[in-house]
Amino acid sequence: MVSLSQGGGIFFMTTIEKVCSCFGHSDVPITDDLRARTKAEIEKGIADGVRIFLFGGRSDFDDLCYDLVTEAKTAAPQLGIKRVFCFALDKQLRKPPRWFVRKEYEALECPAKDFDYWYTAIYYRNLAMIDRSDLVLMWVEAREDSGAYKTYKYAVKKHKRVVNLFSDERRCD
């Protein structure tokens, strides 16, 4: 998206980068078909102006998306694609949690929301990521007890563009 801004009587154009969040259940069977469909959706997002990709880093699907975004970033460095790791930290924690796998991110963020225990922190972090996003890529089953499914329902409620790559007759989108 391009917008016109006025500064000192002179008009200039600025580019607004679109944002994509990636979410999924902790354990996701990564198949060649899922990889191909996810790559196609990431490429569509990039063609539509997505330049910032947000990751929570707690699922196999997050890892798949990270790898595919890294491939796209390497193939087209001129696009300035950024990978951002979003922390869900306990209020007392001053360093990354032990499950954090250090990868090459362009930025690290900790969205601020109130929470009372680690599961709530992850959920609120997910909501903050969705609030920033123009596109949400997910691999989510319709399971009422699932945080990923609750996140999916929040994204739909917020009228975000949601692509659920879960392929099953119980597909929730």
Side-chain angles (χ1 to χ4, degrees):
M1 178 185 297
V2 176
S3 65
L4 293 177
S5 301
Q6 186 176 4
I10 300 172
F11 286 95
F12 58 93
M13 295 181 71
T14 58
T15 302
I16 298 170
E17 297 173 321
K18 290 185 179 179
V19 177
C20 174
S21 290
C22 303
F23 296 99
H25 297 294
S26 296
D27 299 312
V28 174
I30 306 299
T31 63
D32 290 341
D33 177 62
L34 176 60
R35 184 176 181 77
R37 291 185 298 121
T38 305
K39 182 176 181 175
E41 292 299 334
I42 288 170
E43 289 172 352
K44 283 183 202 174
I46 292 170
D48 190 39
V50 172
R51 295 296 180 269
I52 300 170
F53 289 85
L54 307 179
F55 302 96
R58 293 191 61 93
S59 82
D60 296 334
F61 186 71
D62 288 10
D63 291 342
L64 171 64
C65 290
Y66 176 90
D67 292 344
L68 294 171
V69 168
T70 299
E71 287 176 15
K73 177 181 174 57
T74 301
Q78 73 279 8
L79 294 178
I81 294 170
K82 297 173 192 79
R83 298 159 300 176
V84 179
F85 183 82
C86 296
F87 285 102
L89 297 179
D90 182 283
K91 291 180 181 181
Q92 305 306 313
L93 195 57
R94 299 289 183 247
K95 63 182 181 179
R98 69 179 176 277
W99 51 261
F100 175 65
V101 177
R102 189 160 306 279
K103 295 183 182 181
E104 294 183 22
Y105 293 98
E106 281 65 47
L108 303 175
E109 296 180 1
C110 183
K113 291 237 183 208
D114 287 333
F115 54 87
D116 31 19
Y117 61 99
W118 75 269
Y119 181 81
T120 306
I122 292 168
Y123 177 68
Y124 284 144
R125 184 269 327 260
N126 291 350
L127 301 186
M129 290 169 64
I130 287 171
D131 288 344
R132 279 189 63 195
S133 296
D134 301 287
L135 170 64
V136 181
L137 295 181
M138 305 184 99
W139 192 97
V140 178
E141 291 181 81
R143 296 188 328 231
E144 289 299 327
D145 64 337
S146 161
Y149 183 60
K150 290 173 186 166
T151 300
Y152 164 82
K153 291 192 324 186
Y154 180 81
V156 170
K157 179 181 174 183
K158 291 299 225 171
H159 306 288
K160 298 296 180 169
R161 182 172 160 237
V162 178
V163 177
N164 186 5
L165 292 150
F166 176 70
S167 62
D168 186 279
E169 65 277 0
R170 297 168 295 156
R171 196 175 169 116
C172 61
D173 58 53

